[in-house]
Amino acid sequence: MIKILANDGIDPIGKAMLEQAGFVVDTETVAQDKLVDALQNYDAITVRSATKVRQELIDQCPNLKLIGRGGVGMDNIDVDYARGKGLAVINTPAASSLSVAELVFAHLFTGVRFLQDANRKMPVEGDTKFNALKKAYAKGVELRGKTIGIIGFGRIGRETATVALGLGMNVLAYDLFPFEGNLTLNLQGGIKVDIPVKTVSLEEVITNSDFISLHTPFADKPILGAEEFEKMKTGVSVVNCSRGGTIDEAALIAALDSGKVAFAGLDVFDNEPTPSTAILQHAKISLTPHIGAATNEAQERIGVELATLIIEHFNK
Ligand code: NAD
């Protein structure tokens, strides 16, 4: 009988699928320093981002045959080492794309109507300075008809583009690997609309967009820094739901303070989980604590995808 430790939890539907397939699934979290002992009794472990599966752990758990990551990034797993020792390592890269894309629009709709500031000031001044606040937040803008620039046109970038197209926005996209093809809008009544999209140069995205959203992994340096902010339209806005480090935070603050950038929406930060107070307290930044994939729907899709891959692996 195959035993699985879902150490960072698993959605109940995924758990039920595994149990129906005859597997035993334990969801009680074992502390990192107790994992070596616990894993002697398991064939597989699934994790999200909290549990680390490093070389030493892999070496000390000879019964382990599979490591599953619910989500995308596998920074917490020594993937190559595990595969080199013959373990299967799986993840669920596509399951959370729509949730991250929708969070981009949560930040955009927030910023264009100053909600990040209104939500801070209304509880404090809403009863004494109502009319002054009303005036302060009077110059909102609409998204329809505006241009969103998307940097990184993989799964989440394309999903973000699809939501934007559905809202009637124009899309300018850039990726290291050019893309030309259709994005499909799935509308009410099963109606599908294919919209052709072709990537353009990074320069074009940076100079011609009203809003810019980042969807690349972090490499060795920020993708948006002082030089890029300088080339953007005045009044541009920037959203980062990708990875900390892809925006130069000091350059972002300078661009917000100078009025070059109207607002920013950030889900990811340098130095997580202790972002800088200058970022956290800036009136023009809408903030979320890395919750891009944290929706019920995404977690359910992650659970189902993980369960499917685990069942396939052990039944082949
Ligand atoms: P993906 O691999 O499908 O797409 C990433 C794309 O970025 C690829 O097409 C790649 O070619 C492109 N790219 C890489 N470097 C680039 C560069 N310098 N310039 C332009 N394009 C570049 O990945 P994805 O699933 O779309 O995820 C995108 C990002 O979102 C990742 O950093 C991922 O870690 C992050 N993410 C965040 C959350 C969250 O909770 N906020 C959740 C899931 C994923």
Side-chain angles (χ1 to χ4, degrees):
M1 188 184 298
I2 302 292
K3 284 189 77 184
I4 299 159
L5 177 64
N7 208 46
D8 296 333
I10 184 168
D11 182 85
I13 297 181
K15 181 169 187 265
M17 283 172 65
L18 289 164
E19 287 169 347
Q20 272 161 23
F23 298 7
V24 171
V25 184
D26 289 332
T27 53
E28 228 159 83
T29 303
V30 176
Q32 190 74 44
D33 60 348
K34 304 270 187 305
L35 271 178
V36 170
D37 288 342
L39 283 178
Q40 303 306 319
N41 302 317
Y42 288 94
D43 302 280
I45 180 171
T46 71
V47 301
R48 289 182 183 157
S49 55
T51 303
K52 296 184 178 34
V53 188
R54 297 282 172 228
Q55 189 171 329
E56 310 78 66
L57 184 65
I58 295 165
D59 282 339
Q60 292 176 77
C61 301
N63 292 332
L64 207 57
K65 297 165 195 76
L66 179 143
I67 303 164
R69 159 75 160 104
V72 188
M74 302 221 270
D75 336 0
N76 52 327
I77 302 169
D78 283 343
V79 178
D80 291 343
Y81 186 77
R83 287 187 177 142
K85 288 201 75 172
L87 277 79
V89 185
I90 56 173
N91 68 346
T92 61
S96 58
S97 300
L98 178 60
S99 295
V100 181
E102 288 196 359
L103 185 65
V104 171
F105 289 90
H107 282 295
L108 287 176
F109 279 118
T110 293
V112 289
R113 305 305 291 270
F114 311 102
L115 302 193
Q116 75 283 355
D117 201 45
N119 279 327
R120 285 163 172 160
K121 294 219 174 109
M122 284 294 280
V124 189
E125 299 176 344
D127 55 347
T128 53
K129 295 186 179 162
F130 191 93
N131 285 332
L133 292 177
K134 184 172 175 173
K135 200 170 164 199
Y137 307 135
K139 293 200 185 310
V141 294
E142 296 173 349
L143 294 185
R144 179 166 299 169
K146 304 293 188 312
T147 298
I148 184 167
I150 295 174
I151 301 177
F153 210 48
R155 286 173 290 254
I156 299 172
R158 289 180 211 181
E159 201 66 61
T160 302
T162 308
V163 177
L165 293 167
L167 285 170
M169 299 184 81
N170 308 310
V171 169
L172 283 178
Y174 167 72
D175 197 283
L176 288 179
F177 300 94
F179 171 88
E180 183 170 4
N182 288 330
L183 295 182
T184 304
L185 294 190
N186 291 301
L187 303 174
Q188 180 171 310
I191 297 169
K192 288 184 188 296
V193 181
D194 282 344
I195 303 185
V197 176
K198 187 177 167 195
T199 46
V200 297
S201 69
L202 180 60
E203 186 82 7
E204 215 171 313
V205 171
I206 286 178
T207 52
N208 293 331
S209 300
D210 301 304
F211 306 95
I212 294 179
S213 191
L214 275 179
H215 298 287
T216 67
F218 173 70
D220 50 345
K221 64 180 177 58
I223 291 180
L224 298 183
E227 204 180 307
E228 288 74 27
F229 285 122
E230 192 52 44
K231 291 183 194 159
M232 292 177 192
K233 283 186 178 179
T234 296
V236 66
S237 301
V238 176
V239 175
N240 191 7
C241 291
S242 62
R243 273 289 179 269
T246 49
I247 292 189
D248 177 334
E249 291 186 349
L252 173 65
I253 289 177
L256 287 164
D257 290 344
S258 74
K260 181 76 182 183
V261 174
F263 71 85
L266 301 181
D267 186 47
V268 291
F269 304 87
D270 288 353
N271 300 321
E272 288 183 29
T274 50
S276 86
T277 45
I279 288 284
L280 294 178
Q281 292 174 6
H282 203 289
K284 294 182 179 174
I285 305 182
S286 167
L287 302 150
T288 46
H290 206 147
I291 54 164
T295 64
N296 297 339
E297 291 86 348
Q299 293 311 315
E300 185 181 312
R301 284 193 296 267
I302 284 170
V304 169
E305 197 176 333
L306 256 190
T308 307
L309 292 170
I310 292 170
I311 293 166
E312 265 173 28
H313 176 82
F314 283 108
N315 285 348
K316 78 179 170 216

